């Protein structure tokens, strides 16, 4: 049997206990094969409800490599998963090739629904952005938020498709505010809200992070000399009981640069100030080259310097569908209690 098939067989066998748990808790979105750790760097297979999303980042898969993998997943899960193969190994590589296996069936590209922690999430195999609409390694963090949001005012920063906000709403939050500058991402967040009509409505703020969080934190908005800032929504200073900070690795805007390697502080500082005195801040760093111990120390030092020492700091790891042989997964999450 070719090495790739064998690697997938081992990965699926390894996940059997986890899959049982996930199905029991109402989740049908998870990673089936995490290539970098399971024998095929640059290849991932994810289940998103009825869909099997295969992504290759280094090399394209041939039809003869791809189809046995798909069959193995279908047979193991006993589900007729709809294949979407997104080859991200070349520029513009998601454009369909002539072979129908690369095009995906029309029903695989429909607007579908996946589930996590009993909640419904919009799933689209292909859309305007590169990444899937739900980041699966954040499942445990969403679960934590769902279990700890009752009665809380929750602020979801860099909200993307508002998965964390939805988990908070489902957990009984008193108020959920999702903040992101991309209207398209917030629009999926609104769809996610509509897919769960039993939940109270969430709020959405379309704004750049820097002016929004600085206003909430009661800090001035820095203006670079001679440069006119774009307009931004005005917000009154206020604090939240639970703040979730999960920024991208790097992004530049007129207001500042998100840079998880060189400057986590400028993101963290106002987020701490927008967290209530006895509140919780959950912060993430998804950059593989940042070591957990170093980053943790930086985070704790920043809080200390602000006069907001952390009473308790808990590390939350992704679930076993994101194995890491060295115990250092790229996504690091800290739960800080003040
Ligand atoms: C990696 S995603 C965050 C994942 C998200 N926390 C989740 O729960 O899935 C990055 C998000 O940050 C947003 N973003 C990037 N730079 C931003 C900025 N300066 N202000 C506001 N949003 C920003 C993007 O639009 C995108 O939705």
């Amino acid at each position: 049997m070719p090495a790739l098939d064998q690697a997938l067989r081992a990965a699926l066998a390894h996940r059997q206990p986890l899959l049982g748990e996930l199905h029991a808790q109402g989740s049908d979105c998870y990673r089936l094969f995490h290539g970098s750790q399971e024998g095929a760097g640059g290849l991932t297979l994810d289940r998103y409800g009825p869909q099997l999303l295969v992504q290759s980042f280094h090399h394209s898969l041939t039809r003869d490599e791809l189809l046995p993998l798909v069959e193995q997943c279908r047979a193991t899960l006993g589900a007729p998963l709809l294949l979407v193969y997104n080859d991200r190994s070349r520029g513009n590589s998601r454009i369909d090739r002539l072979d129908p296996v690369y095009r995906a069936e029309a029903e695989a590209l429909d607007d579908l629904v996946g589930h996590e922690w009993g909640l419904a999430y919009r799933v689209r195999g292909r859309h305007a952005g590169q990444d899937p609409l739900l980041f699966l390694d954040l499942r445990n963090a969403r679960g934590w938020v769902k279990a700890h949001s009752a009665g809380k005012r929750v602020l979801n920063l860099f909200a993307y498709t508002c998965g964390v906000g939805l988990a908070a709403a489902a957990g009984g939050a008193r108020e959920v505010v999702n903040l992101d500058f991309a209207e398209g991402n917030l629009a999926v967040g609104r769809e996610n809200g509509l897919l769960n009509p039993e939940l109270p409505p969430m709020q959405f703020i379309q704004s750049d992070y820097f002016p929004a969080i600085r206003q909430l934190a009661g800090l001035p908005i820095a203006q670079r000399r001679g440069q006119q800032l774009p307009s931004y929504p005005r917000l009154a200073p206020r604090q939240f009981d639970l703040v979730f900070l999960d920024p991208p690795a790097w992004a530049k805007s007129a207001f500042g640069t998100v840079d998880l390697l060189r400057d986590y502080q400028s993101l963290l500082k106002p987020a701490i100030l927008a967290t209530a005195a006895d509140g919780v801040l959950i912060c993430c760093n998804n950059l593989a080259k940042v070591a957990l111990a170093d980053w943790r120390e930086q985070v704790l030092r920043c809080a200390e310097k602000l006069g907001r020492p952390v009473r308790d700091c808990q590390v939350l790891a992704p679930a076993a569908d994101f194995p890491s042989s060295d115990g250092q997964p790229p996504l690091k999450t800290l739960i800080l209690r003040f």
Side-chain angles (χ1 to χ4, degrees):
M1 183 190 291
L4 200 49
D5 291 3
Q6 260 171 27
L8 177 61
R9 196 162 301 276
L12 292 174
H14 187 244
R15 279 166 178 68
Q16 275 311 318
L18 175 71
L19 296 183
E21 274 171 43
L22 291 174
H23 295 159
Q25 72 184 211
S27 298
D28 60 12
C29 297
Y30 37 75
R31 177 148 293 183
L32 291 166
F33 185 67
H34 188 52
S36 62
Q37 297 288 312
E38 298 188 288
L43 179 65
T44 59
L45 276 70
D46 294 320
R47 177 179 186 180
Y48 281 97
Q51 183 189 85
L52 177 66
L53 177 65
V54 178
Q55 298 185 93
S56 56
F57 296 84
H58 299 168
H59 314 282
S60 309
L61 290 181
T62 64
R63 143 188 272 279
D64 290 345
E65 286 169 327
L66 178 58
L67 291 183
L69 301 181
V70 177
E71 279 319 312
Q72 225 192 110
C73 292
R74 285 179 178 150
T76 304
L77 292 167
L81 300 173
L82 300 162
L83 170 66
V84 176
Y85 171 40
N86 288 342
D87 177 15
R88 297 169 65 174
S89 64
R90 301 184 228 157
N92 217 5
S93 57
R94 285 180 304 149
I95 287 181
D96 290 344
R97 299 183 231 175
L98 291 178
D99 190 326
V101 75
Y102 298 110
R103 288 190 177 171
E105 306 287 333
E107 49 173 345
L109 298 177
D110 274 352
D111 284 356
L112 300 172
V113 176
H115 300 87
E116 186 191 89
W117 299 109
L119 299 170
Y121 283 94
R122 173 59 74 222
V123 169
R124 272 189 200 106
R126 291 186 189 150
H127 59 99
Q130 288 269 358
D131 291 315
L133 296 179
L134 190 67
F135 287 109
L136 299 177
D137 51 355
L138 213 59
R139 183 193 322 110
N140 275 353
R142 285 187 289 267
W144 195 97
V145 167
K146 186 167 179 248
H148 294 87
S149 291
K152 303 278 192 313
R153 299 162 296 173
V154 177
L155 176 63
N156 181 21
L157 299 163
F158 298 96
Y160 189 45
T161 54
C162 310
V164 168
L166 200 72
R174 170 151 49 112
E175 182 185 8
V176 178
V177 177
N178 296 290
L179 189 140
D180 200 287
F181 68 8
E183 177 46 37
N185 295 343
L186 293 177
V188 179
R190 288 194 182 90
E191 275 183 67
N192 283 334
L194 294 174
L195 287 172
N196 297 273
E198 70 287 1
L199 300 183
M202 303 187 281
Q203 296 168 48
F204 303 88
I205 300 177
Q206 187 193 352
S207 171
D208 192 281
Y209 176 73
F210 292 103
I213 195 68
R214 292 186 71 85
Q215 289 179 88
L216 292 171
L219 296 170
I221 294 166
Q223 181 146 11
R224 288 193 206 131
R225 215 185 299 161
Q227 268 183 28
Q228 184 81 25
L229 288 176
S231 65
Y232 52 85
R234 304 294 148 147
L235 302 170
R238 61 169 296 196
Q239 292 188 317
F240 293 80
D241 307 304
L242 199 165
V243 174
F244 198 97
L245 172 65
D246 174 29
W250 195 89
K252 195 173 167 65
S253 75
F255 294 94
T257 303
V258 175
D259 184 342
L260 300 197
L261 181 64
R262 289 173 204 82
D263 187 12
Y264 200 86
Q265 263 92 320
S266 64
L267 304 173
L268 183 63
K269 185 177 152 185
I272 292 175
L273 295 175
T275 307
D278 55 353
V280 174
L281 171 67
I282 304 181
C283 56
C284 304
N285 191 323
N286 60 30
L287 209 60
K289 60 183 153 191
V290 172
L292 171 65
D294 299 342
W295 175 63
R296 183 177 182 277
E297 198 186 306
Q298 245 181 52
V299 165
L300 296 181
R301 204 173 336 114
C302 175
E304 189 81 41
K305 273 192 357 207
L306 274 175
R308 297 288 307 275
V310 172
R311 200 163 43 82
D312 181 64
C313 173
Q314 186 188 334
V315 177
L316 188 67
D321 50 338
F322 286 82
S324 59
S325 51
D326 59 358
Q328 301 278 335
L331 177 65
K332 297 158 284 289
T333 303
L334 295 175
I335 301 172
L336 311 175
R337 292 173 203 268
F338 296 99

